[in-house]
Amino acid sequence: MMDKPSNLLLKLSRRLFDDTTEQEKFIDALIHPEPFYPCILWCREKRSLFKIEPPLSWQPYFVDRLSFGEKPGQHPLHNEGYYYCLDFSSVFAAMSLSAVRSPIHTIFDMCAAPGGKSIFAWKALQPQLLVCNEAIGKRVGMLISNLKRCRISPTIVLSKDSSELNQISSSSQLVIVDAPCSGQSLLAKGGKVPGCFHPTTINKNANRQKRIITNSAQLVAPKGYLTYMTCTYSIEENEQVCEWFLNKFPQFQAVEVPELVEYQSHHSSIPCYRLFPQSKLGAGAFTVLFQNTEMGEIENLDVEVLQRVGIRYQLGDMNLITTKDTKEEVLESLLVRDDF
């Protein structure tokens, strides 16, 4: 928590908002953070456990905002996997998926830990297969724990850098990139994020985001989707990444998300959407949905290929993945492993 705004924060506020009142509200939300309503995503049938807030017009039926004082993480049904606790900003970011045309066979989440966006996509779109990748090894355990607890199936977990996944190109109808970022919105939760407004930090993250989204684009099947999200405010990590991406990959086009039209960013003509902390809904998020306009064949995921990539965890029926092996060999090769 900061005592007063830094010059870099003041500069950012002026870039984000023309209106001085909004600048002040934005800064105050970071300098004097206030709690946001707890939020849960129901993975199984809803139960009347908590006091809830009135739903927003675009809020999914499987998401509840809870009243202050509710502690869903301490309820026994949390451990039983009935629901997943998350920030409402994550719900906002994942709402870009509401414009995805189903059915969706395979969803690939590139930066999946701790699992909230993966679980949202699984609940919203009911894919035949969910593949969750997390490049940072120490974060894989929490991802697997959440997927197991919430019984998200069928699921495969990988732990690879985005550059190592070219063997499964053009295989996913939806690729999620919840990109690593400078994390400026953590300040609105009372966190400390040293250097998050510094140009060096922002540029380093923007370059990493461009590398990840470039590699992720290779996995998107013809007519498939790619969604890009961050939990930061800087234009360099959000709108400018989107504009760079569309210039580099002209076969993609941004898709309007009708539920989020009122949150359209004023920093780009591309249909992309922002939530700011002064809204009192959540700490902040950016989201955009792209569609691959190319025609062509979808490359089926093959168990042999996934084995070479390196499976860390699997849950569910792998008959949904094409393979030349026998069923017995497939099941033997995909035993659940908890040795990490």
Side-chain angles (χ1 to χ4, degrees):
M1 187 181 301
M2 296 177 287
D3 294 326
K4 61 179 182 178
S6 65
N7 289 331
L8 289 174
L9 174 53
L10 291 170
K11 182 178 179 181
L12 175 62
S13 69
R14 289 191 288 268
R15 289 186 67 199
L16 291 175
F17 307 102
D18 294 328
D19 182 71
T20 56
T21 301
E22 282 302 305
Q23 294 172 16
E24 292 170 0
K25 288 180 179 178
F26 172 68
I27 291 170
D28 188 63
L30 301 188
I31 300 295
H32 304 109
E34 297 180 357
F36 299 102
Y37 291 116
C39 180
I40 58 175
L41 187 163
W42 288 95
C43 304
R44 294 156 71 180
E45 67 273 15
K46 277 190 176 186
R47 302 284 187 90
S48 298
L49 303 176
F50 309 107
K51 294 180 181 178
I52 64 173
E53 295 299 305
L56 303 182
S57 61
W58 50 267
Q59 187 174 316
Y61 72 92
F62 52 84
V63 168
D64 281 337
R65 289 188 306 144
L66 311 184
S67 300
F68 288 126
E70 297 288 355
K71 300 185 184 301
Q74 298 178 10
H75 196 283
L77 288 189
H78 175 263
N79 290 335
E80 294 178 29
Y82 271 79
Y83 54 81
Y84 181 89
C85 301
L86 73 171
D87 187 296
F88 198 66
S89 294
S90 295
V91 176
F92 172 87
M95 278 303 295
S96 57
L97 303 184
S98 65
V100 170
R101 294 183 181 178
S102 53
I104 296 293
H105 182 284
T106 303
I107 295 175
F108 191 102
D109 191 345
M110 182 62 76
C111 312
K117 306 299 195 313
S118 295
I119 294 172
F120 186 105
W122 172 84
K123 182 69 176 181
L125 298 172
Q126 294 293 296
Q128 294 183 48
L129 177 65
L130 173 65
V131 183
C132 300
N133 181 68
E134 177 52 54
I136 301 174
K138 65 183 180 181
R139 292 170 58 86
V140 174
M142 73 173 91
L143 170 63
I144 293 175
S145 176
N146 285 325
L147 294 172
K148 289 173 67 174
R149 178 177 60 82
C150 296
R151 304 180 191 180
I152 308 303
S153 172
T155 307
I156 284 175
V157 175
L158 310 175
S159 182
K160 293 293 179 180
D161 184 83
S162 63
S163 62
E164 301 177 88
L165 297 168
N166 56 344
Q167 297 179 70
I168 53 175
S169 61
S170 304
S171 60
S172 300
Q173 284 81 32
L174 171 63
V175 176
I176 301 170
V177 181
D178 186 11
C181 64
S182 57
Q184 294 161 351
S185 71
L186 294 177
L187 293 172
K189 299 179 183 180
K192 295 182 179 180
V193 196
C196 65
F197 299 117
H198 197 281
T200 300
T201 301
I202 292 170
N203 291 333
K204 180 179 178 181
N205 278 285
N207 289 332
R208 176 169 57 173
Q209 291 152 0
K210 290 173 182 177
R211 183 179 72 84
I212 292 172
I213 197 172
T214 292
N215 294 329
S216 300
Q218 316 300 324
L219 307 187
V220 182
K223 295 298 181 181
Y225 299 88
L226 186 155
T227 183
Y228 175 78
M229 316 168 187
T230 79
C231 62
T232 201
Y233 310 124
S234 70
I235 297 170
E236 290 83 357
E237 297 178 74
N238 294 316
E239 290 87 354
Q240 289 183 12
V241 169
C242 295
E243 290 164 0
W244 176 90
F245 175 74
L246 291 176
N247 284 331
K248 185 175 177 65
F249 295 93
Q251 71 270 32
F252 281 85
Q253 64 180 16
V255 178
E256 184 177 283
V257 180
E259 285 81 355
L260 300 182
V261 167
E262 65 180 292
Y263 300 92
Q264 167 68 38
S265 168
H266 300 298
H267 301 286
S268 178
S269 59
I270 296 170
C272 53
Y273 310 95
R274 281 182 175 266
L275 182 72
F276 286 107
Q278 62 266 36
S279 71
K280 307 297 185 181
L281 295 176
F286 174 89
T287 190
V288 63
L289 180 68
F290 301 107
Q291 184 172 24
N292 183 0
T293 63
E294 286 186 328
M295 306 292 288
E297 295 294 323
I298 298 173
E299 298 292 334
N300 289 322
L301 283 175
D302 190 288
V303 168
E304 290 181 349
V305 175
L306 287 170
Q307 284 178 292
R308 289 197 296 271
V309 172
I311 296 172
R312 294 291 299 272
Y313 168 78
Q314 172 265 323
L315 176 67
D317 185 3
M318 289 300 106
N319 289 327
L320 296 170
I321 305 178
T322 60
T323 179
K324 299 175 184 176
D325 296 334
T326 65
K327 180 178 179 181
E328 290 75 18
E329 289 172 333
V330 171
L331 293 177
E332 181 179 356
S333 68
L334 294 177
L335 290 175
V336 173
R337 286 181 284 170
D338 293 321
D339 55 341
F340 39 82

